[in-house]
Amino acid sequence: MATKLVLFVSVMVAALALPITKGTSVEVQVGPSFVPCNINGSLGVNVTATPAFPNAQVQLQCGAVVVATTTTNASGVFSFSLDFTQVFLSARVGLSNCNLVVITPLSTCNPMLPPVGVLTSSIVFVRTDVLGVRVVLIFRAAGFRYIPPT
């Protein structure tokens, strides 16, 4: 929890410290990130041998609100690009409360895996890019883990 608070404060300080003028937009990008088709979410020793989770629906959830949804490609990779206002206003929480949730059942990519439960990952701040009048806050998945149903 403390890490998420530090992340949120750091991102807000970085965003507010930048010279934001009228017409400047703030964008939130997540990815590109890889969703593995395994129960522990690890990439293993040989990353290229880790099976991908293609066509999986991935949600960006901030608090209890689904802010955005996308689908992984054939290689199990996805990304999000959102206007910061869309994230902040729709969820009314900071980015520190945002998680990535794979809602497609694991058994879709491997019938030997559980048909219920989800993969979830927190997001990690990577950097801030300033591109003209656009400020981009870049995040990535911290690593997916399996959450069984309750």
Side-chain angles (χ1 to χ4, degrees), residues 6-17 84 95 125 128 137 139:
V6 170
L7 168 68
F8 176 70
V9 170
S10 299
V11 169
M12 292 292 88
V13 168
L16 295 174
F84 179 76
L95 291 169
F125 179 70
T128 302
L137 305 173
F139 295 83

Side-chain angles (χ1 to χ4, degrees), residues 56-73:
Q57 280 198 311
V58 181
Q59 294 179 339
L60 177 62
Q61 295 181 1
C62 298
V65 177
V66 176
V67 176
T69 301
T70 192
T71 303
T72 60
N73 64 17

Side-chain angles (χ1 to χ4, degrees), residues 20-128:
I20 297 184
T21 61
K22 186 175 182 178
T24 299
S25 65
V26 179
E27 184 178 320
V28 174
Q29 289 184 357
V30 178
S33 296
F34 175 75
V35 178
C37 180
N38 61 34
I39 200 161
N40 64 6
S42 72
L43 298 178
V45 176
N46 185 357
V47 174
T48 58
T50 302
F53 196 156
N55 302 314
Q57 280 198 311
V58 181
Q59 294 179 339
L60 177 62
Q61 295 181 1
C62 298
V65 177
V66 176
V67 176
T69 301
T70 192
T71 303
T72 60
N73 64 17
S75 301
V77 176
F78 72 93
S79 62
F80 287 102
S81 186
L82 309 153
D83 181 81
F84 179 76
T85 309
Q86 177 185 356
V87 175
F88 188 75
L89 292 180
S90 63
R92 290 190 168 80
V93 296
L95 291 169
S96 61
N97 279 343
C98 294
N99 289 296
L100 300 165
V101 180
V102 179
I103 59 171
T104 305
L106 278 168
S107 59
T108 304
C109 68
N110 181 343
M112 300 302 290
L113 295 176
V116 293
V118 296
L119 290 176
T120 185
S121 173
S122 59
I123 57 174
V124 178
F125 179 70
V126 176
R127 70 178 183 276
T128 302

